[in-house]
Amino acid sequence: MVLLHSAAGLDWQAPPKGTSLKTLAEAEEQGFILIRGEYQKRQFRLTELGHRHVEQDRQRLAARRL
């Protein structure tokens, strides 16, 4: 979830520092992100499914705060 919530929109971006390859691979397998590049040049972006999931989660968290 931290990886998904760190995404700034749907554009290609570097993963947050300390994100493991396993975390990226799992998110990609679940259809939440797309990955391109290798090693230090690796980038990710949210898929439409990932974007919807993050938005729903943000709404859920905001509702809990009220």
Side-chain angles (χ1 to χ4, degrees):
M1 270 314 210
V2 173
L3 173 65
L4 300 180
H5 279 271
S6 72
L10 299 174
D11 295 331
W12 290 102
Q13 55 207 288
K17 195 170 194 110
T19 304
S20 71
L21 296 177
K22 183 178 179 183
T23 300
L24 290 168
E26 287 175 357
E28 185 178 40
E29 286 174 11
Q30 293 176 14
F32 293 137
I33 65 170
L34 299 173
I35 300 173
R36 74 175 181 187
E38 292 184 10
Y39 306 108
Q40 288 86 6
K41 296 180 182 179
R42 183 162 281 132
Q43 293 182 318
F44 81 101
R45 66 176 271 203
L46 292 175
T47 62
E48 192 59 41
L49 174 65
H51 181 68
R52 280 195 317 263
H53 186 74
V54 169
E55 289 304 313
Q56 289 172 352
D57 196 51
R58 284 184 180 150
Q59 290 173 1
R60 183 184 61 80
L61 291 172
R64 288 179 70 190
R65 288 185 195 122
L66 296 175

